[in-house]
């Protein structure tokens, strides 16, 4: 399978704590994207990092990318109960617009 | 509406039947994508369109699956001779293309009995 791997598979934290999710992918990429999915809903785009970038911030989100290790991490700071969802990384190669998704991390934030 | 719309939201049918799933993308989005998501897994790419043409159909599992986008807007995913293994949530997304973020619908949950 081309699908990437994410760890942990599941993460439970208290409100106010930080959450870190890791992603490994298999192909050479043009960019890597992170998406969030609430139960029973479609995916929502969070942040995109290009292959020539190492770190990117958006609000409470921080993404890092290490192309030599084919890995990325997503950090959510000061988590809230509303952050409870599944989070997926998705790799986009150079010669196609399709996304190859990871297996996802299920995040539970307790109030 | 402002978002990607998928119909029906749920579809239950018997093994061997034919099904059509519809996707209405965001107005002005030239690229349209179909993915399939099994329980507890990430979405799996099926096919994407740039305009009316299929730019990459490498994810279609076999020739029972076919998709069209005749006018470059609405798309239909067609599955012939359905099998129980086809049961999944079928997600549609659209974008401006060129690697831009994809906007997803809420999916069609397909159950083959």
């Amino acid at each position: 399978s081309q699908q990437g791997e994410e760890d942990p598979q599941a993460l439970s934290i208290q409100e106010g704590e930080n959450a870190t999710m890791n992603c490994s992918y298999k192909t050479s990429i043009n960019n890597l994207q992170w998406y969030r999915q609430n139960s029973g809903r479609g995916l929502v785009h969070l942040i995109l990092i290009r292959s020539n970038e190492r770190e990117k911030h958006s609000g409470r989100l921080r993404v890092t990318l290490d192309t030599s290790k084919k890995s990325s991490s997503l950090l959510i700071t000061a988590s809230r109960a509303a952050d409870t969802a599944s989070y997926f990384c998705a790799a986009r190669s150079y010669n196609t617009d399709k996304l190859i998704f990871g297996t996802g991390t299920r995040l539970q934030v307790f109030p | 509406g402002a978002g990607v719309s998928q119909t029906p939201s749920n579809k239950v049918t018997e093994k061997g039947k034919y099904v059509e799933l519809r996707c209405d993308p965001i107005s002005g989005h030239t690229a349209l994508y179909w993915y399939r998501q099994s329980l507890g897994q990430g979405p799996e790419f099926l096919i994407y369109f740039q305009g009316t043409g299929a730019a990459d159909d490498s994810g279609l599992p076999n020739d029972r699956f076919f998709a069209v986008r005749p006018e470059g807007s609405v798309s239909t995913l067609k599955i012939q001779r359905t099998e129980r293994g086809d049961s999944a949530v079928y997600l549609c997304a659209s974008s401006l293309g060129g690697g831009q973020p994809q906007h997803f619908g809420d999916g069609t949950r397909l159950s083959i009995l």
Side-chain angles (χ1 to χ4, degrees):
Chain A
S1 168
Q2 284 186 293
Q3 198 161 47
E5 299 283 330
E6 288 186 58
D7 79 272
Q9 288 186 330
L11 180 60
S12 295
I13 58 175
Q14 296 290 134
E15 262 192 333
E17 294 181 338
N18 296 342
T20 300
M21 290 160 261
N22 303 296
C23 161
S24 61
Y25 55 91
K26 298 181 181 181
T27 61
S28 295
I29 61 166
N30 173 269
N31 67 53
L32 188 124
Q33 303 176 31
W34 285 87
Y35 288 80
R36 163 200 169 119
Q37 185 178 36
N38 287 85
S39 182
R41 304 299 301 272
L43 288 81
V44 175
H45 178 262
L46 295 175
I47 193 166
L48 180 154
I49 186 165
R50 292 184 169 77
S51 61
N52 60 354
E53 297 176 308
R54 292 297 166 256
E55 186 171 313
K56 197 162 185 180
H57 297 253
S58 176
R60 293 185 296 112
L61 305 180
R62 172 179 166 246
V63 169
T64 62
L65 179 64
D66 186 336
T67 53
S68 68
K69 295 180 180 177
K70 289 188 165 59
S71 68
S72 175
S73 68
L74 172 67
L75 168 68
I76 304 174
T77 60
S79 63
R80 305 166 182 168
D83 294 330
T84 294
S86 291
Y87 291 81
F88 295 92
C89 66
R92 188 233 174 187
S93 301
Y94 283 95
N95 58 352
T96 177
D97 218 15
K98 72 183 182 187
L99 294 176
I100 304 298
F101 283 86
T103 49
T105 293
R106 293 189 312 279
L107 174 66
Q108 174 85 51
V109 181
F110 292 99
Chain B
V4 176
S5 175
Q6 291 188 247
T7 54
S9 54
N10 283 282
K11 176 72 176 179
V12 181
T13 192
E14 293 179 342
K15 178 176 176 294
K17 298 291 189 184
Y18 168 82
V19 297
E20 288 190 352
L21 311 179
R22 176 188 166 108
C23 174
D24 205 332
I26 292 172
S27 178
H29 279 190
T30 55
L32 184 146
Y33 314 80
W34 284 99
Y35 295 86
R36 178 168 70 173
Q37 186 175 26
S38 299
L39 191 64
Q41 298 294 314
E44 176 188 9
F45 171 78
L46 296 176
I47 184 172
Y48 90 89
F49 293 86
Q50 184 62 45
T52 60
D56 186 340
D57 65 357
S58 61
L60 294 178
N62 52 59
D63 61 6
R64 295 187 298 105
F65 289 74
F66 190 71
V68 295
R69 195 186 186 202
E71 297 177 357
S73 179
V74 170
S75 176
T76 305
L77 178 66
K78 309 180 181 193
I79 311 174
Q80 298 178 321
R81 304 184 304 280
T82 52
E83 300 177 356
R84 293 197 178 87
D86 299 335
S87 296
V89 176
Y90 288 80
L91 295 166
C92 176
S94 69
S95 83
L96 294 170
Q100 292 300 303
Q102 297 180 16
H103 300 260
F104 283 78
D106 285 340
T108 293
R109 182 176 300 278
L110 177 64
S111 300
I112 308 299
L113 303 180

